Amino acid sequence: MKNAPDQIVFDPRGRVETEPLALSPRVARLQGLRLGVLDNTKWNANRLLRKTTARLDQEFSFAAVNYYRKESFSKEADPALIAAIAADNDIVLTAIGD
């Protein structure tokens, strides 16, 4: 069946245009670094991240552990939050936690 000329049919697949980004270089060691922990607000994310962070801190003794929380797991993090995390930390840990 053909569409009538006045009908608009949307393609649900959409198109995503991106530019490749270079990965940050890996750190040589974790000892003494500032760790940022981003909770995406999924139900088990906070529990998973806190337990993982505690175990990592026992082994590597971070200079600081800073916790952050996204507004919602279904939305991108606010650019100001991302900027603050990048400015105040050397490395970042996040997880989905389902």
Side-chain angles (χ1 to χ4, degrees):
M1 176 172 151
K2 286 190 160 187
N3 293 335
D6 59 339
Q7 284 185 318
I8 299 173
V9 178
F10 293 98
D11 183 348
R13 295 174 294 179
R15 290 189 182 139
V16 176
E17 295 181 20
T18 63
E19 293 183 29
L21 298 173
L23 296 175
S24 296
R26 289 185 178 257
V27 295
R29 53 186 283 195
L30 300 177
Q31 182 83 19
L33 295 180
R34 300 168 300 158
L35 172 65
V37 181
L38 177 59
D39 178 349
N40 70 353
T41 68
K42 282 246 179 189
W43 297 275
N44 292 313
N46 187 308
R47 182 172 177 237
L48 174 65
L49 288 167
R50 289 202 180 265
K51 287 186 177 208
T52 302
T53 299
R55 291 190 72 176
L56 288 170
D57 196 29
Q58 284 177 339
E59 185 173 346
F60 299 108
S61 298
F62 297 114
V65 177
N66 302 305
Y67 289 91
Y68 304 88
R69 189 171 166 93
K70 280 178 47 175
E71 179 184 329
S72 169
F73 63 83
S74 64
K75 296 180 182 178
E76 293 180 359
D78 185 282
L81 175 62
I82 298 296
I85 293 170
D88 296 338
N89 300 281
D90 302 304
I91 56 174
V92 178
L93 174 66
T94 190
I96 292 173
D98 273 345

